[in-house]
């Protein structure tokens, strides 16, 4: 039995089957490439769901991690550490946010924002206790905790896990009229992804977010944009909201905030919303720890200093142009912004998963989503030659 077959067998036997990964066992990564246990190299076109925007094992993030790990890793927030203030300062300078709350996973950042806007609703907006409502969109993906799956419209994510957390009102994504109709005096916030990633890279019509922003302002509703996947360069801008010409009241980031080294997320906000949280009302043992802060500081530094955001814009345009030039009768649509892309196949193609397996054999790793869509999101350090090579492989399997 090969090493990979043995490891897969053990995983199947001992692990919960809450994932169905492609059967490739990876052991090493560098830049856009990863290698399996047989030494085969792959171009990674998933980037751990956009957590590895800076490329695998970026040497400067690695150096910061190793240095900090040898000094101080965890103090808890019972004491202060000498890294957190620097992270605050650098994040504030980059994003213009006035208050920041560090957490670990993306789902924790979402939960944190939900808690904060509810409290803000009661204390500042004057919503009667227990009546706060948050508007969310159909086909959303914000994580896997109980409150978050309570407002999922995906039966796989939601069914069987009740009783559910109340207080959410769902409207179709991209429908500004439905959004307006859902607002009432108890609406404290709207929680939306700028581009729906897990739903298959769904980009709303131009102007949708401008209307949503205006409606939120007019009705004293906090606009929370979940940029955990779209943020930090993925779409060719630091934040995807920039494409829409708007600013969220609360922005959620995670994933690439550590360049894939460590779970680090953050809630970025104005002072009014996060200002409602007082000592003892929220926290996390690991949130804001010095190791996470040092890693995040290095991850943000390389993202901006090495022009990864500009590269994402240029290479995204080039990649999309290449994908759109492929003549294939099994492609329904090519979508994307920056290096957040999707190729949706027609239902007659028989499902995207088999095409992901064919790509794997050719040395390219991509992930199927929602049956018929191949999602493509390489690290932002991808070069023109690598894009051309990727497009050639994709062309081979879909023409
Ligand atoms: C938009 C969005 N929000 C939240 C999450 C949850 O992040 P995590 O898996 O780190 O909890 C994800 C993860 O894919 C995401 O894409």
């Amino acid at each position: 039995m090969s090493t990979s077959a043995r490891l897969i067998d053990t995983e199947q036997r001992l692990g919960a089957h809450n994932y169905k990964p492609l059967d490739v066992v990876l052991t090493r990564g560098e830049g856009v490439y990863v290698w399996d246990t047989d030494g085969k190299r792959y171009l990674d076109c998933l980037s751990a769901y956009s957590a590895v925007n800076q490329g695998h094992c970026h040497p400067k993030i690695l150096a910061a991690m190793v240095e900090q790990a040898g000094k101080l890793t965890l103090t808890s927030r019972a004491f202060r550490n000498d890294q957190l203030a620097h992270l605050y300062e650098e994040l504030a300078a980059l994003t213009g946010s006035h208050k920041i709350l560090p957490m670990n996973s993306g789902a924790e950042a979402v939960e944190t924002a939900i808690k904060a806007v509810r409290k803000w609703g009661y204390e500042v907006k004057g919503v009667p206790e227990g009546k706060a409502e948050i508007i969310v969109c159909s086909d959303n993906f914000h994580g896997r905790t109980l409150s978050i799956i309570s407002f999922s419209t995906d039966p796989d994510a939601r069914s069987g896990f009740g009783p559910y957390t109340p207080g959410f009102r769902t409207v179709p994504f991209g429908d500004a009229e439905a959004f307006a109709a859902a607002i009432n005096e108890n609406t404290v916030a709207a929680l939306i992804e700028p581009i729906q990633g897990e739903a298959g890279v769904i980009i709303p019509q131009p102007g949708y977010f401008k209307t949503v922003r205006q409606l939120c302002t007019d009705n004293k509703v906090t606009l929370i944009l979940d940029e955990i996947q779209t943020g930090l360069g993925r779409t060719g801008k630091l934040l995807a909201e920039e494409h829409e010409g708007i600013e969220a009241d609360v922005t959620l980031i995670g994933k690439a905030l550590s360049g894939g080294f460590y779970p680090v997320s953050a809630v970025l906000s104005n002072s009014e919303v996060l200002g409602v949280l007082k000592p003892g009302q929220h926290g996390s043992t690991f949130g804001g720890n010095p190791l996470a802060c040092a890693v995040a500081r290095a991850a943000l530094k390389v993202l901006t200093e090495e022009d990864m955001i500009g590269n994402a814009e240029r290479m995204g345009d080039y990649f999309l142009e290449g994908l759109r030039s492929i003549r294939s009768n099994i492609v329904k649509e090519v979508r994307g912004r920056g290096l957040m892309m999707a190729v949706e196949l027609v239902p007659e193609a028989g499902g995207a998963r088999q095409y992901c397996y064919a790509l794997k054999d050719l040395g390219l790793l991509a992930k199927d989503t929602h049956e018929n869509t191949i999602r493509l999101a390489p690290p932002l350090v991808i070069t023109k030659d690598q894009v051309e090579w990727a497009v050639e492989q994709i062309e081979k399997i879909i023409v």
Side-chain angles (χ1 to χ4, degrees):
M1 213 183 203
S2 69
T3 305
S4 63
R6 196 163 33 77
L7 293 170
I8 290 169
D9 184 62
T10 308
E11 269 194 34
Q12 283 299 106
R13 205 161 32 82
L14 295 178
H17 293 185
N18 56 327
Y19 277 96
K20 195 174 160 215
L22 288 194
D23 281 336
V24 55
V25 182
L26 302 173
T27 185
R28 188 164 76 83
E30 190 183 323
V32 296
Y33 293 114
V34 284
W35 284 261
D36 71 11
T37 47
D38 297 321
K40 180 171 171 172
R41 190 182 79 169
Y42 303 87
L43 178 67
D44 180 5
C45 279
L46 184 66
S47 307
Y49 298 99
S50 295
V52 191
N53 283 1
Q54 295 87 339
H56 288 274
C57 298
H58 191 291
K60 289 189 178 158
I61 311 175
L62 175 66
M65 186 172 195
V66 170
E67 189 190 337
Q68 187 61 42
K71 285 206 278 196
L72 183 69
T73 56
L74 183 63
T75 56
S76 81
R77 297 287 302 278
F79 311 118
R80 298 182 192 269
N81 72 70
D82 68 355
Q83 291 297 308
L84 183 57
H86 293 299
L87 176 63
Y88 283 162
E89 221 163 33
E90 286 156 18
L91 262 178
L94 200 59
T95 63
S97 46
H98 297 281
K99 278 264 178 282
I100 301 166
L101 199 159
M103 294 295 283
N104 311 286
S105 67
E108 282 174 297
V110 176
E111 289 276 349
T112 303
I114 292 171
K115 282 177 71 176
V117 293
R118 282 182 168 183
K119 204 157 197 302
W120 170 86
Y122 302 131
E123 292 181 4
V124 180
K125 186 169 175 174
V127 171
E129 185 66 34
K131 297 283 185 214
E133 283 185 17
I134 297 173
I135 299 174
V136 296
C137 290
S138 48
D139 300 318
N140 66 71
F141 187 86
H142 297 285
R144 299 291 193 174
T145 62
L146 260 179
S147 288
I148 294 173
I149 60 102
S150 293
F151 56 84
S152 173
T153 57
D154 175 357
D156 281 344
R158 186 176 195 274
S159 299
F161 299 117
Y164 300 107
T165 305
F168 301 98
R169 191 178 279 253
T170 308
V171 296
F173 182 61
D175 185 339
E177 271 179 35
F179 186 90
I183 297 174
N184 62 41
E185 68 280 8
N186 293 333
T187 309
V188 296
L191 169 62
I192 317 181
E193 297 157 85
I195 296 172
Q196 289 191 321
E198 298 308 297
V201 188
I202 310 297
I203 304 172
Q205 287 300 312
Y208 169 68
F209 273 106
K210 273 230 158 75
T211 309
V212 164
R213 174 65 273 180
Q214 196 57 49
L215 286 164
C216 287
T217 304
D218 294 348
N219 294 281
K220 208 167 168 48
V221 169
T222 304
L223 176 59
I224 310 168
L225 287 184
D226 180 344
E227 296 246 20
I228 289 165
Q229 190 164 147
T230 53
L232 304 178
R234 173 53 57 191
T235 68
K237 303 271 187 212
L238 177 73
L239 297 173
E241 67 173 20
E242 295 170 47
H243 292 288
E244 310 293 344
I246 60 156
E247 274 183 39
D249 301 306
V250 175
T251 301
L252 310 179
I253 54 173
K255 293 185 189 279
L257 185 51
S258 75
F261 278 80
Y262 200 86
V264 189
S265 63
V267 179
L268 313 175
S269 132
N270 54 35
S271 303
E272 196 174 276
V273 174
L274 278 180
V276 299
L277 294 177
K278 300 287 175 310
Q281 296 175 345
H282 192 64
S284 154
T285 303
F286 278 81
N289 74 69
L291 185 57
C293 293
V295 166
R297 293 180 65 201
L300 290 173
K301 195 157 186 255
V302 300
L303 194 71
T304 49
E305 279 186 1
E306 297 179 17
D307 189 30
M308 292 183 192
I309 304 171
N311 195 57
E313 184 182 19
R314 291 186 297 275
M315 290 303 109
D317 286 349
Y318 191 53
F319 210 138
L320 279 167
E321 195 184 299
L323 291 172
R324 290 192 171 121
S325 73
I326 299 173
R327 293 285 146 250
S328 161
N329 52 17
I330 62 164
V331 174
K332 185 173 167 201
E333 192 182 31
V334 171
R335 296 185 286 273
R337 187 163 278 167
L339 283 168
M340 186 169 183
M341 302 166 289
V343 178
E344 185 175 343
L345 305 177
V346 295
E348 301 76 53
R353 195 167 172 87
Q354 58 180 303
Y355 297 91
C356 291
Y357 264 108
L359 284 170
K360 169 180 115 39
D361 291 341
L362 293 170
L364 187 153
L365 293 181
K367 178 75 175 70
D368 53 304
T369 181
H370 283 256
E371 212 65 42
N372 296 315
T373 302
I374 305 172
R375 218 191 351 190
L376 298 161
L380 311 187
V381 295
I382 195 166
T383 64
K384 209 164 172 233
D385 287 351
Q386 290 162 343
V387 169
E388 284 166 8
W389 181 87
V391 172
E392 272 167 34
Q393 309 317 305
I394 295 162
E395 184 164 18
K396 280 183 201 161
I397 59 135
I398 59 175
V399 290

